[in-house]
Amino acid sequence: QSTWGPRSQTPVTSFANRMSEGSQVFQELVDVNPHPRQSVAQVLAEDLEIAKSRLDEIQAACLIIVSFVCLGVLIVFLEPILVPFILAVALSNTLLPVVNFFAQPLSAPCHKFKTPASLPWALCIFCALMTMLFVVFVVGAFISSSITNFAKDWDDKGYAQRAEELFNSTIGLAQSAGFDESQFSLSGAPMKSLVMSVVQKFLSLSTDLLMVMLFSVFILLGARTQSAEKRNRLTERVFTSVNLYIRIKVFVSVLTGVLTTLFLTLLDIDLALVFGLLAFVFNFIPNIGSTIAMLLPLPIVILCPTMSPFRGIMAILLPGMVHFTIGNVMEPVMLGKKLNLNEIVVLLSLMLWASLWGTIGLFLAVPLTSVMVIVADEIANETEHPIFRAIVNLSKHHDHSEDSKEISPTVTSI
């Protein structure tokens, strides 16, 4: 009684009261149904089925979590193989229209010149690769010439003097804040280790490029024999969506780079072609890439002694307008919001893939996340599993307008 209070509140009394209530309920069940045991058995069977279904859902959720953990471990350990392969898939999808162009039937009469109706598929792949390398060589030559001319004009145009003035003013501000001048000296910099690091990065990049080219050749060789009828529904959805995203992204990135180069050239900004190429590259990184590309001409604007305030503002504002118009108006219209993910999901995918694969993960974040969402959507449609359906609902960008349900007809015209 000291622990539980009055005797009427003890656990034994409470249990007895519940037993009496249960006997009353059972008596009512006997009065209603002449076969009470059968009814009780049915109720227990239904409860057992509900408990079993909930246990199955818990087991499925645990298996899904374990599968995601194992998949993440495999992604990290297989990075040297997966990254070149995924880049090769993207490159092969980009080169496939060029290969199809070379594979078109020849217009010359075949019986007169004794030539085949079309070029062999392997020769078409070789021509497409040579075309790509030629374009890369031409762009690289122009960029090298632009950087060489800028290095020659570094002293003539006053960049060196302006940089020295800014450096001295920065040191003066740092000394006034209590920092030591020796901390800003470059004499103790480990130049040998820096050069060796650059050489190692270059060799690693060359090896990765060779692997990407090799994978691309094999993927293109198998693309002719693989038709849409031989692919199942899931593979067809993934292939169509990723192919659409890559081609449209390449098109809008090229347009962004060309317009950025044109505007900076009209404003007489040095290294305009370099900034245009960087705008093309950074446009593949959603959300943050356009901001980085827009601010890239800022050092030239600050260091140029003859830069007027109007030219400086326009050098930042015009590329920003290009990125905003293409990224927020043109690209959603072309994609029809078919692959648009939720903004939070895009940011989380950028952080996740960047932590797994570094810089290359930023460029591959959206295509890989889109593939995962498509697979989850297909599994949810087949099995009606609540976990996969929740993943799809949280990942997709919801828009209830009818115009966003279909791919825009602009894609067909392009």
Side-chain angles (χ1 to χ4, degrees), residues 19-280:
M19 288 295 293
S20 62
E21 292 176 0
S23 63
Q24 294 176 3
V25 172
F26 188 79
Q27 185 64 37
E28 294 176 358
L29 183 63
V30 171
D31 296 338
V32 173
N33 196 333
H35 303 286
R37 294 183 178 179
Q38 183 179 0
S39 300
V40 172
Q42 291 177 356
V43 172
L44 293 177
E46 293 176 358
D47 292 341
L48 184 61
E49 289 294 331
I50 294 174
K52 185 178 179 181
S53 63
R54 291 180 179 177
L55 181 61
D56 292 338
E57 292 178 358
I58 294 174
Q59 290 177 349
C62 295
L63 288 176
I64 291 172
I65 293 174
V66 172
S67 300
F68 276 114
V69 173
C70 295
L71 182 62
V73 173
L74 288 177
I75 287 174
V76 172
F77 281 99
L78 296 179
E79 176 187 357
I81 300 175
L82 290 178
V83 171
F85 178 75
I86 295 175
L87 291 177
V89 172
L91 180 61
S92 61
N93 285 326
T94 305
L95 292 178
L96 189 58
V98 183
V99 177
N100 291 329
F101 172 78
F102 285 110
Q104 292 179 357
L106 300 176
S107 59
C110 301
H111 64 277
K112 183 177 180 180
F113 294 96
K114 296 181 180 181
T115 57
S118 61
L119 295 177
W121 187 253
L123 183 59
C124 296
I125 295 174
F126 177 77
C127 294
L129 290 176
M130 290 299 102
T131 303
M132 183 197 68
L133 293 177
F134 175 75
V135 172
V136 171
F137 176 77
V138 171
V139 174
F142 277 108
I143 290 176
S144 176
S145 176
S146 178
I147 294 176
T148 303
N149 294 331
F150 178 75
K152 291 180 180 179
D153 297 336
W154 176 259
D155 294 327
D156 299 336
K157 291 187 176 182
Y159 285 105
Q161 182 179 359
R162 177 65 174 169
E164 185 178 358
E165 293 176 357
L166 291 176
F167 184 74
N168 292 331
S169 61
T170 303
I171 291 179
L173 292 175
Q175 288 178 348
S176 61
F179 291 94
D180 190 7
E181 183 179 359
S182 60
Q183 297 178 358
F184 299 91
S185 178
L186 299 178
S187 58
M191 297 302 297
K192 183 178 180 179
S193 61
L194 180 62
V195 172
M196 292 299 297
S197 176
V198 171
V199 172
Q200 291 177 358
K201 289 289 184 182
F202 180 76
L203 293 177
S204 176
L205 181 62
S206 302
T207 306
D208 292 340
L209 288 177
L210 290 176
M211 291 184 64
V212 169
M213 297 286 288
L214 184 62
F215 283 151
S216 300
V217 170
F218 282 103
I219 292 174
L220 290 173
L221 285 174
R224 188 171 188 176
T225 59
Q226 186 181 16
S227 59
E229 291 79 8
K230 297 181 180 180
R231 294 190 293 260
N232 55 19
R233 179 181 175 183
L234 177 60
T235 307
E236 183 64 24
R237 282 191 62 190
V238 171
F239 179 81
T240 304
S241 301
V242 175
N243 194 14
L244 175 69
Y245 175 81
I246 290 175
R247 294 185 183 183
I248 292 181
K249 198 67 177 180
V250 169
F251 174 76
V252 297
S253 299
V254 171
L255 184 61
T256 302
V258 170
L259 292 178
T260 301
T261 304
L262 178 62
F263 285 136
L264 294 180
T265 303
L266 292 177
L267 292 173
D268 196 17
I269 304 296
D270 292 326
L271 300 178
L273 186 60
V274 176
F275 293 136
L277 178 63
L278 293 176
F280 164 78

Side-chain angles (χ1 to χ4, degrees), residues 342-361:
N342 194 349
E343 288 80 4
I344 299 178
V345 175
V346 171
L347 293 177
L348 291 177
S349 65
L350 287 174
M351 291 186 291
L352 174 63
W353 291 106
S355 62
L356 293 177
W357 288 350
T359 306
I360 197 65

Side-chain angles (χ1 to χ4, degrees), residues 3 247 288 325 333:
T3 304
R247 294 185 183 183
I288 61 175
T325 304
V333 169

